Amino acid sequence: MTAQRGREARTSARAAASAQLGPETRAESWQRLGKETFDLVVIGGGIVGAGTALDAATRGLRVALIEARDLASGTSSRSSKLFHGGLRYLEQLEFGLVREALRERELMLNRIAPHLVKPVSFLYPLTHRGWERPYTAAGLLLYDTMGGARSVPGQKHLSRAGALRMVPALKRDALIGGIRYYDAQADDARHTMTVARTAAHYGAVVRNSTQVVDFLREADRVSGVRVRDVESGQETDVQAHAVINATGVWTDELQRLSGSRGRFRVRSSKGVHIVVPRDRIVAESGMILRTEKSVLFVIPWRNHWIVGTTDTDWNLDLAHPSATRSDIDYLLEHVNKVLATPLTHDDIEGVYAGLRPLLAGESEETSKLSREHAVARVAPGLVAIAGGKYTTYRVMAADAVDAAAVDVPERVQESITDKVPLVGADGYHALVNQADHLASDHGLHPYRVRHLLDRYGSLIGDVLAVADGRPDLLKPIEAAPDYLRVEAVYAATDEGALHLEDVLARRTRISIEYPHRGVDCAEQVADLVGDVLGWTPEQRQREVEVYRARVEAERDSQAQPDDEAADARRVAAPEARDRLTEPVS
């Protein structure tokens, strides 16, 4: 037994030397799944699952992270892309949640992911004289003193004229003044993938396109899972001391598959966002607007604005929640109440819908369901975690590992992820200062280098090395010139992308940032990725056809009047991973 553990430790040490998630690593990881006994198997490649794998790996545990589709393919690529304290939760008196989230925001900005998480300002337009300014200022002061102002500037009060100078797009009669405050934002899919790569760097097996099809048992305890490689159809048993169900909106489905009774229930709330060009709203700051139900954000996003979100119950397909015409109309109606030049459907370049995994409460209104998280040991060897919000993923992960520790035979160390930068963070600030020199060395414009630094941080050298001897890879992708061709290749060599959709929808955000939604560059990207993954001409053609069908189905669903009609249109599109079975987790 000691010799076996020694061999496993040496295997883990080799794996820990690299955060690369490429074809060779994928083949090796399949062998490890079938041969090793893990302390923890984490199911779910969203931010909570990735964070849990990182937490466990940095405590010295042997961990495997498995995801049926792609990293961040669910909720974790479809958020408002904010690392925020949750200003509106102050009104709901959830002070603990806000304080916790603000601390996490500060850690991300200053230590854990400064290359990925950036400050972003918002204007809060004031519409009532007398009470509203002191009321809002008091809330923002609490926000600042709970931890907000330590990493970003504090609130600034503006007259109507000052607010209009900051956001000229506003109607003059839409406000009497304003308050500017700061939060933070990140590309959620890229951040999640980077957390998973960091877990791999510390020895975790990280594998997408790997579906749990059954749970293994020894007497009354869960002792592992049976998984299927949905690319090849192969199956293997994975032995583990404990399994953590971190599947978000799929939590209840996995509980049923395990045969264990859940301790809590998860409800799905659909949030829809639209993406419009930056020049459609003339402003130097984002905005937060009150609605009759919640709040509406107008968020700066590179050359675009993201406008969202809705908050409605969803009981249909969990993998592909669909935005409807009425969802889009709702967003346009509310943002146009304050804009001097209204947005129209023709202005919209991207649309996406995601599902929040909320803990079910007594209220039927999803906006009032708890954003707190819950962890439960639902059976010996099986832990479930759900709820929470993206910003607090690291806290959720630590709680999940703590709950599973009782099933791990060795002593489990305390969580240290508050001290562990993500890959690409170390050296990032120095490289920013050297951006002009890097640009000159590689024949790139400095803004290109800064774009790469804000996506890859200090891994920029690895990205550019892929283009050694291939200067054509340093040219922009045709029809998506914000991205270089080398980024598509790197997505397959190092970032675990296995399908065209993975690259266009998550490793890049071409699917929501261009009016063609990736269709016009699908063939070129398929050729770049196919060279790495060994696709035949027939495979390349299928990838392009499946992606085009996805976009067509999404566009069709977004013209439908209700959820049922939109869902029927969207689920009709073929899956890139066509060996998936239900339940999908």
Side-chain angles (χ1 to χ4, degrees), residues 504-584:
L504 295 177
R506 287 175 290 277
R507 303 307 184 278
T508 70
R509 307 319 292 266
I510 292 172
S511 66
I512 61 171
E513 292 177 340
Y514 289 89
H516 58 76
R517 304 191 184 181
V519 169
D520 290 0
C521 60
E523 290 188 3
Q524 182 182 28
V525 174
D527 286 340
L528 292 167
V529 173
D531 288 344
V532 176
L533 300 179
W535 289 346
T536 64
E538 292 75 21
Q539 286 175 302
R540 297 180 196 217
Q541 185 60 32
R542 180 183 181 275
E543 288 286 332
V544 172
E545 290 174 354
V546 167
Y547 186 78
R548 286 175 173 164
R550 164 203 161 112
V551 172
E552 183 178 353
E554 286 183 347
R555 289 187 187 277
D556 194 8
S557 70
Q558 291 155 16
Q560 303 307 311
D562 55 52
D563 285 346
E564 288 74 15
D567 180 67
R569 298 297 200 282
R570 179 61 184 88
V571 299
E575 287 272 7
R577 294 167 167 86
D578 56 4
R579 289 188 175 93
L580 285 167
T581 58
E582 296 294 336
V584 175

Side-chain angles (χ1 to χ4, degrees), residues 456-470:
Y456 306 96
S458 56
L459 296 178
I460 186 173
D462 295 347
V463 179
L464 294 173
V466 173
D468 286 350
R470 292 190 60 186

Side-chain angles (χ1 to χ4, degrees), residues 169-500:
L170 288 172
K171 296 176 182 175
R172 183 172 178 80
D173 62 0
L175 73 169
I176 61 167
I179 306 176
R180 186 200 66 187
Y181 77 97
Y182 276 82
D183 255 315
Q185 71 175 166
D187 181 333
D188 48 5
R190 174 149 295 279
H191 177 266
T192 298
M193 182 273 298
T194 305
V195 173
R197 287 190 68 187
T198 308
H201 175 72
Y202 287 104
V205 171
V206 176
R207 209 168 194 278
N208 54 350
S209 283
T210 305
Q211 182 180 7
V212 171
V213 294
D214 204 355
F215 284 77
L216 309 180
R217 290 185 174 272
E218 291 180 2
D220 65 338
R221 64 174 292 107
V222 171
S223 60
V225 291
R226 184 163 186 80
V227 298
R228 175 185 298 128
D229 183 327
V230 300
E231 304 297 328
S232 68
Q234 291 179 285
E235 294 189 3
T236 193
D237 289 343
V238 185
Q239 303 293 330
H241 297 304
V243 175
I244 296 180
N245 175 2
T247 55
V249 294
W250 286 275
T251 299
D252 294 348
E253 290 195 7
L254 257 288
Q255 290 303 121
R256 286 192 289 270
L257 181 65
S258 73
S260 303
R261 182 180 177 183
R263 301 289 178 84
F264 46 76
R265 199 162 50 86
V266 174
R267 279 180 55 181
S268 300
S269 167
K270 184 179 70 168
V272 173
H273 297 78
I274 58 176
V275 184
V276 300
R278 196 63 175 265
D279 62 4
R280 297 301 190 274
I281 302 175
V282 181
E284 297 176 4
S285 172
M287 289 182 284
I288 179 171
L289 309 171
R290 280 191 172 277
T291 71
E292 65 276 9
K293 297 179 181 179
S294 183
V295 296
L296 189 73
F297 284 102
V298 179
I299 306 163
W301 178 257
R302 300 178 189 148
N303 299 323
H304 297 82
W305 298 99
I306 294 175
V307 180
T309 180
T310 62
D311 197 352
T312 55
D313 210 9
W314 178 265
N315 299 299
L316 301 168
D317 182 62
L318 296 177
H320 307 296
S322 306
T324 65
R325 177 84 180 199
S326 58
D327 291 328
I328 296 169
D329 286 344
Y330 170 88
L331 294 174
L332 290 176
E333 175 191 349
H334 283 80
V335 75
N336 284 340
K337 287 179 179 178
V338 301
L339 294 180
T341 303
L343 297 175
T344 69
H345 283 271
D346 291 339
D347 293 322
I348 297 172
E349 294 191 336
V351 180
Y352 63 93
L355 299 178
R356 304 176 190 88
L358 303 180
L359 296 178
E362 295 180 359
S363 171
E364 290 301 311
E365 298 179 32
T366 59
S367 61
K368 294 181 180 178
L369 295 180
S370 176
R371 296 311 300 273
E372 297 279 3
H373 66 273
V375 182
R377 185 170 178 260
V378 296
L382 179 61
V383 167
I385 181 165
K389 57 201 294 287
Y390 194 109
T391 307
T392 58
Y393 80 89
R394 198 190 58 78
V395 178
M396 296 173 66
D399 287 350
V401 177
D402 286 345
V406 66
D407 292 304
V408 177
E410 299 176 355
R411 180 176 179 273
V412 177
Q413 303 293 328
E414 295 296 315
S415 176
I416 61 164
T417 51
D418 60 334
K419 304 176 183 69
V420 178
L422 301 186
V423 291
D426 284 339
Y428 162 73
H429 294 294
L431 287 169
V432 169
N433 290 339
Q434 299 169 6
D436 289 349
H437 299 303
L438 284 170
S440 177
D441 291 345
H442 291 89
L444 294 170
H445 193 283
Y447 89 87
R448 287 283 186 194
V449 170
R450 293 186 180 92
H451 160 91
L452 295 173
L453 284 169
D454 287 343
R455 283 171 53 75
Y456 306 96
S458 56
L459 296 178
I460 186 173
D462 295 347
V463 179
L464 294 173
V466 173
D468 286 350
R470 292 190 60 186
D472 61 300
L473 292 183
L474 295 182
K475 295 179 179 179
I477 294 173
E478 293 173 11
D482 285 345
Y483 298 93
L484 299 178
R485 298 175 189 181
V486 70
E487 296 184 74
V489 176
Y490 187 76
T493 60
D494 285 66
E495 295 181 340
L498 297 174
H499 292 278
L500 181 60

